[in-house]
Amino acid sequence: TIPDQNERNRVAESLLALTLKELFEWRLMQTDPNWSNFLYDPATGSVSLIDFGATRSYSKKFCDSYIRLIKACVDRDQEQMLHWSTDLGFLTGHESEEMNRAHLSSGMAIGRPFAHEGIYNFRKQHVTKEVKTDAQIMLQHRLTPPPDEAYSLHRKLAGMFMFCIELDAAIDCRSIFEEQYNKYHFNN
């Protein structure tokens, strides 16, 4: 039987919370977003990870900066987004205005589920279309490749968002992020 919408939302919340926990608490992430790598227990609502073949660790410094970058997206603080993007190595600090605009626009679009106040409906999002134009600009004007950590991390995050879309999820992503952010311990 197909789970009802409340159950699908619960799965989506659990997957998103687990992903943030992997990155910001454990700093160790199973980076293959494939349905067969998770077990869901409907009796408890818990999601468990299986198959750790694509596991990657992340440094404390990277996690400190990355959670600040997400927070800047949540706060719609473009100056801080550029700062933390440069700190992480997504940007050099010498990019053209066009590149910075595309980077900020893309970051805002990707960060929208976490920035949205209240329930975010994944089925009604258009992030892929929005980012497509920005991606073309970034490919033409990029001065440095993204940090190595970004490839596996963004594959996992994109996969989690795709799961949420497939589940037709409508969840409070901001609260999930803020819970993780509020208990995060920074090195400096």
Side-chain angles (χ1 to χ4, degrees):
T1 64
I2 296 173
D4 70 14
Q5 189 59 54
N6 289 333
E7 189 73 10
R8 288 182 287 160
N9 288 344
R10 193 163 79 162
V11 171
E13 287 172 347
S14 295
L15 286 169
L16 199 52
L18 178 59
T19 299
L20 295 179
K21 184 175 193 164
E22 285 179 274
L23 180 61
F24 298 123
E25 290 182 38
W26 301 336
R27 295 193 324 270
L28 185 69
M29 180 178 278
Q30 191 276 40
T31 61
D32 183 9
N34 181 319
W35 283 116
S36 64
N37 291 331
F38 301 93
L39 289 177
Y40 176 67
D41 181 354
T44 64
S46 66
V47 173
S48 301
L49 289 167
I50 57 174
D51 187 355
F52 295 93
T55 301
R56 168 157 192 155
S57 63
Y58 297 88
S59 72
K60 179 74 168 124
K61 180 186 180 328
F62 178 85
C63 292
D64 283 359
S65 296
Y66 200 83
I67 199 168
R68 286 176 169 129
L69 176 58
I70 296 174
K71 179 70 168 134
C73 291
V74 166
D75 294 342
R76 303 304 207 203
D77 185 335
Q78 293 185 3
E79 184 178 317
Q80 287 297 301
M81 286 175 66
L82 290 174
H83 171 80
W84 293 113
S85 293
T86 302
D87 183 76
L88 285 159
F90 287 103
L91 303 172
T92 65
H94 302 288
E95 279 74 16
S96 67
E97 193 59 38
E98 186 177 21
M99 173 63 186
N100 283 338
R101 270 195 309 274
H103 181 80
L104 289 169
S105 174
S106 176
M108 292 285 200
I110 294 167
R112 188 172 301 123
F114 296 119
H116 184 82
E117 299 246 7
I119 302 300
Y120 182 81
N121 189 328
F122 277 91
R123 184 57 75 184
K124 294 181 180 179
Q125 61 80 33
H126 303 285
V127 172
T128 306
K129 290 177 189 172
E130 292 177 51
V131 172
K132 187 176 183 180
T133 302
D134 295 328
Q136 293 303 315
I137 293 168
M138 289 187 287
L139 284 172
Q140 292 174 1
H141 297 277
R142 181 169 294 287
L143 299 180
T144 186
D148 289 340
E149 298 92 339
Y151 297 102
S152 57
L153 172 58
H154 290 172
R155 179 178 70 172
K156 175 72 173 255
L157 289 173
M160 290 303 102
F161 285 173
M162 290 305 297
F163 286 169
C164 289
I165 291 166
E166 289 177 35
L167 290 166
D168 200 17
I171 60 176
D172 188 350
C173 302
R174 185 179 185 128
S175 291
I176 294 168
F177 171 73
E178 286 180 346
E179 179 182 338
Q180 193 60 240
Y181 184 82
N182 291 334
K183 65 182 177 183
Y184 190 80
H185 299 287
F186 293 97
N187 266 355
N188 49 2

